[in-house]
Coordinates of all heavy atoms in Angstrom, one line a residue:
P159 N 16.5 -93.3 16.9 CA 15.4 -93.3 15.9 C 15.7 -94.0 14.6 O 14.9 -94.7 14.1 CB 15.1 -91.8 15.7 CG 15.7 -91.2 16.9 CD 16.8 -92.0 17.3
V160 N 16.9 -93.8 14.1 CA 17.3 -94.4 12.9 C 17.5 -96.0 13.0 O 17.0 -96.7 12.2 CB 18.7 -93.8 12.4 CG1 19.1 -94.5 11.1 CG2 18.6 -92.3 12.2
T161 N 18.1 -96.4 14.1 CA 18.3 -97.8 14.3 C 16.9 -98.5 14.5 O 16.8 -99.7 14.1 CB 19.2 -98.1 15.6 OG1 18.7 -97.4 16.7 CG2 20.6 -97.6 15.3
R162 N 16.0 -97.9 15.2 CA 14.7 -98.5 15.4 C 14.0 -98.7 14.0 O 13.4 -99.8 13.8 CB 13.8 -97.7 16.3 CG 14.2 -97.7 17.7 CD 13.4 -96.8 18.6 NE 13.8 -96.8 20.0 CZ 13.3 -96.0 20.9 NH1 12.4 -95.1 20.6 NH2 13.7 -96.1 22.2
F163 N 14.1 -97.7 13.2 CA 13.5 -97.8 11.8 C 14.2 -99.0 11.0 O 13.6 -99.8 10.4 CB 13.7 -96.5 11.1 CG 13.2 -96.5 9.6 CD1 11.9 -96.6 9.3 CD2 14.1 -96.5 8.6 CE1 11.4 -96.7 8.0 CE2 13.7 -96.5 7.3 CZ 12.3 -96.6 7.0
L164 N 15.6 -99.0 11.1 CA 16.3 -100.1 10.4 C 15.9 -101.5 11.0 O 15.8 -102.4 10.2 CB 17.8 -99.9 10.6 CG 18.3 -98.6 9.9 CD1 19.8 -98.4 10.2 CD2 18.1 -98.7 8.4
Q165 N 15.7 -101.6 12.3 CA 15.3 -102.8 12.9 C 14.0 -103.3 12.4 O 13.8 -104.5 12.2 CB 15.3 -102.7 14.4 CG 16.7 -102.7 15.1 CD 16.6 -102.4 16.6 OE1 15.5 -102.3 17.1 NE2 17.7 -102.2 17.2
I166 N 13.0 -102.4 12.2 CA 11.7 -102.7 11.7 C 11.9 -103.3 10.3 O 11.3 -104.4 9.9 CB 10.8 -101.5 11.6 CG1 10.5 -101.1 13.1 CG2 9.5 -101.8 10.9 CD1 9.7 -99.8 13.2
I167 N 12.7 -102.7 9.4 CA 12.9 -103.2 8.1 C 13.6 -104.6 8.1 O 13.2 -105.5 7.3 CB 13.8 -102.2 7.3 CG1 13.1 -100.8 7.1 CG2 14.2 -102.7 5.9 CD1 14.0 -99.8 6.5
V168 N 14.6 -104.7 9.0 CA 15.3 -106.0 9.1 C 14.3 -107.1 9.5 O 14.3 -108.2 8.9 CB 16.4 -105.9 10.1 CG1 17.0 -107.3 10.4 CG2 17.5 -105.0 9.5
R169 N 13.5 -106.9 10.5 CA 12.6 -107.9 11.0 C 11.5 -108.2 10.0 O 11.2 -109.4 9.8 CB 11.9 -107.4 12.3 CG 12.8 -107.3 13.5 CD 12.2 -106.7 14.7 NE 13.1 -106.7 15.8 CZ 12.8 -106.1 17.0 NH1 11.6 -105.5 17.2 NH2 13.7 -106.1 18.0
L170 N 11.0 -107.2 9.3 CA 10.0 -107.5 8.2 C 10.7 -108.3 7.1 O 10.0 -109.3 6.5 CB 9.5 -106.2 7.6 CG 8.5 -105.4 8.6 CD1 8.1 -104.1 7.9 CD2 7.3 -106.2 8.9
S171 N 11.9 -108.0 6.7 CA 12.6 -108.8 5.7 C 12.8 -110.2 6.1 O 12.7 -111.1 5.3 CB 13.9 -108.1 5.3 OG 13.7 -106.7 4.9
L172 N 13.3 -110.4 7.4 CA 13.5 -111.8 7.8 C 12.2 -112.6 8.0 O 12.2 -113.8 7.7 CB 14.2 -111.7 9.2 CG 15.7 -111.3 9.1 CD1 16.2 -111.1 10.6 CD2 16.5 -112.2 8.3
R173 N 11.1 -111.9 8.3 CA 9.8 -112.5 8.4 C 9.4 -113.0 7.1 O 8.7 -114.1 7.0 CB 8.8 -111.6 9.0 CG 7.5 -112.3 9.5 CD 6.6 -111.3 10.2 NE 7.2 -110.8 11.4 CZ 6.6 -109.8 12.1 NH1 5.4 -109.3 11.8 NH2 7.3 -109.4 13.2
I174 N 9.7 -112.3 6.0 CA 9.3 -112.8 4.7 C 9.9 -114.1 4.4 O 9.3 -115.0 3.7 CB 9.8 -111.7 3.6 CG1 8.9 -110.4 3.9 CG2 9.6 -112.2 2.2 CD1 9.4 -109.3 3.0
V175 N 11.2 -114.4 4.8 CA 11.8 -115.7 4.6 C 11.6 -116.7 5.7 O 12.2 -117.7 5.8 CB 13.3 -115.5 4.3 CG1 13.6 -114.6 3.1 CG2 14.0 -114.8 5.6
G176 N 10.7 -116.4 6.6 CA 10.3 -117.3 7.6 C 11.1 -117.3 8.9 O 11.1 -118.3 9.7
I177 N 11.8 -116.2 9.2 CA 12.6 -116.1 10.4 C 12.0 -115.0 11.3 O 11.8 -113.9 10.9 CB 14.1 -115.7 10.1 CG1 14.7 -116.8 9.2 CG2 14.9 -115.6 11.4 CD1 16.1 -116.5 8.7
D178 N 11.7 -115.4 12.5 CA 11.1 -114.5 13.5 C 12.2 -114.2 14.6 O 12.5 -115.1 15.4 CB 9.9 -115.1 14.2 CG 9.1 -114.1 15.1 OD1 9.6 -112.9 15.1 OD2 8.2 -114.5 15.7
V179 N 12.8 -113.0 14.5 CA 13.8 -112.7 15.4 C 13.3 -112.4 16.8 O 14.1 -112.3 17.8 CB 14.6 -111.5 14.9 CG1 15.3 -111.8 13.6 CG2 13.7 -110.3 14.8
R180 N 12.0 -112.3 17.0 CA 11.5 -112.0 18.3 C 11.5 -113.3 19.1 O 11.4 -113.3 20.4 CB 10.1 -111.5 18.2 CG 10.0 -110.1 17.6 CD 8.6 -109.6 17.5 NE 7.8 -110.4 16.6 CZ 6.5 -110.3 16.4 NH1 5.9 -109.3 16.9 NH2 5.9 -111.1 15.5
A181 N 11.6 -114.5 18.5 CA 11.6 -115.7 19.2 C 13.0 -115.9 19.7 O 13.9 -116.3 19.1 CB 11.3 -116.9 18.2
N182 N 13.2 -115.5 21.0 CA 14.5 -115.6 21.6 C 14.8 -117.0 22.1 O 14.5 -117.4 23.2 CB 14.5 -114.6 22.8 CG 15.9 -114.5 23.4 OD1 16.9 -114.8 22.7 ND2 15.9 -114.0 24.6
E183 N 15.4 -117.8 21.2 CA 15.6 -119.2 21.5 C 16.9 -119.3 22.3 O 18.0 -118.8 22.0 CB 15.8 -120.0 20.2 CG 16.1 -121.4 20.4 CD 16.2 -122.2 19.1 OE1 16.2 -121.6 18.1 OE2 16.4 -123.4 19.2
Q184 N 16.8 -119.9 23.5 CA 17.9 -120.1 24.4 C 18.5 -121.5 24.1 O 18.0 -122.5 24.4 CB 17.4 -120.1 25.9 CG 18.6 -120.1 26.9 CD 19.4 -118.9 26.9 OE1 18.9 -117.8 26.5 NE2 20.6 -119.0 27.3
L185 N 19.7 -121.5 23.4 CA 20.3 -122.7 23.0 C 21.0 -123.4 24.1 O 21.0 -124.6 24.2 CB 21.3 -122.4 21.9 CG 20.8 -121.8 20.6 CD1 21.9 -121.5 19.6 CD2 19.7 -122.7 20.0
T186 N 21.5 -122.7 25.1 CA 22.2 -123.3 26.2 C 21.6 -122.7 27.5 O 21.3 -121.6 27.6 CB 23.7 -123.0 26.2 OG1 23.9 -121.6 26.1 CG2 24.3 -123.6 24.9
S187 N 21.5 -123.6 28.5 CA 21.1 -123.2 29.8 C 22.2 -122.5 30.6 O 23.4 -122.5 30.2 CB 20.6 -124.4 30.6 OG 21.7 -125.2 30.9
A188 N 21.8 -121.8 31.7 CA 22.8 -121.1 32.5 C 23.8 -122.1 33.1 O 25.0 -121.8 33.1 CB 22.1 -120.3 33.6
A189 N 23.3 -123.3 33.5 CA 24.2 -124.3 34.0 C 25.2 -124.8 33.0 O 26.4 -125.0 33.3 CB 23.4 -125.5 34.5
E190 N 24.8 -125.0 31.8 CA 25.7 -125.4 30.7 C 26.7 -124.3 30.4 O 27.9 -124.6 30.2 CB 24.9 -125.7 29.4 CG 24.0 -127.0 29.6 CD 23.1 -127.2 28.3 OE1 22.9 -126.2 27.6 OE2 22.7 -128.3 28.1
E191 N 26.3 -123.1 30.5 CA 27.3 -122.0 30.3 C 28.3 -122.0 31.4 O 29.5 -121.8 31.1 CB 26.6 -120.6 30.2 CG 25.7 -120.4 28.9 CD 25.1 -119.1 28.9 OE1 25.4 -118.2 29.8 OE2 24.4 -118.8 27.9
I192 N 27.9 -122.1 32.6 CA 28.8 -122.2 33.7 C 29.8 -123.4 33.6 O 31.0 -123.2 33.8 CB 28.1 -122.2 35.1 CG1 27.3 -121.0 35.3 CG2 29.0 -122.4 36.2 CD1 26.4 -121.0 36.5
R193 N 29.2 -124.5 33.2 CA 30.0 -125.7 33.1 C 31.1 -125.5 32.0 O 32.2 -125.9 32.2 CB 29.1 -126.9 32.8 CG 29.8 -128.3 33.1 CD 28.9 -129.4 32.7 NE 27.6 -129.3 33.2 CZ 27.3 -129.8 34.4 NH1 28.2 -130.4 35.1 NH2 26.0 -129.7 34.9
S194 N 30.7 -125.0 30.9 CA 31.6 -124.7 29.8 C 32.7 -123.8 30.2 O 33.9 -123.9 29.8 CB 30.8 -124.2 28.5 OG 29.9 -125.1 28.1

């Protein structure tokens, strides 16, 4: 319960500066991870 409340505050704070943490950007593909 506490961590969920803290996550809401963090997400709202980041959204104010233009960062959406819900956008789960995949920087590397699975194939690239395996290759690395």
Side-chain angles (χ1 to χ4, degrees):
V160 181
T161 55
R162 287 176 181 174
F163 176 73
L164 294 176
Q165 287 173 6
I166 293 173
I167 296 177
V168 170
R169 289 174 180 176
L170 290 175
S171 302
L172 291 175
R173 193 176 299 176
I174 293 175
V175 296
I177 301 174
D178 187 3
V179 296
R180 294 176 299 178
N182 188 20
E183 183 179 2
Q184 187 71 24
L185 298 179
T186 58
S187 65
E190 291 173 338
E191 290 184 3
I192 295 173
R193 201 186 304 274
S194 299

